[in-house]
Amino acid sequence: MGDSEIDPFSRQASVVISPGGRVDARFGRKVKTVRPRLTMSAQADLVGLGRTRLQLRVNADATGHVARVEILSSSGSVDVDLATQRAVYEWWFQPPLDAAGHLKADVIVCSIDFL
């Protein structure tokens, strides 16, 4: 979706992190991401696990800044999970509007696939 195709009702995000570290977010609203800083142990875990998914519940405040990140489903590696959780705290999500047109806090379920 381009900036002109924003879906203000989207509450789920899909993110793909490629082996080179590129973060590709697929979300109906604007999102600014920071890639996880994976330790050597986490990188080794990803090689051993192959393609894996981590699912997070992200609470963003009314300004779009992340206030809380909860791991719903592990990738299979504590090192990968924690590095990704720390990175998501630096993300920003475009906040939705309430009925009166004011920005409001939101909860987003985010699936992160490691290729």
Side-chain angles (χ1 to χ4, degrees), residues 27-66:
F27 188 48
R29 293 183 261 154
K30 293 179 186 177
V31 59
K32 292 181 184 175
T33 62
V34 173
R35 72 179 170 162
R37 290 178 279 287
L38 300 176
T39 63
M40 293 297 281
S41 176
Q43 292 175 25
D45 287 349
L46 284 177
V47 169
L49 290 167
R51 184 179 176 148
T52 188
R53 174 176 280 187
L54 170 64
Q55 192 167 41
L56 305 170
R57 178 180 296 126
V58 181
N59 293 62
D61 64 20
T63 66
H65 293 94
V66 175

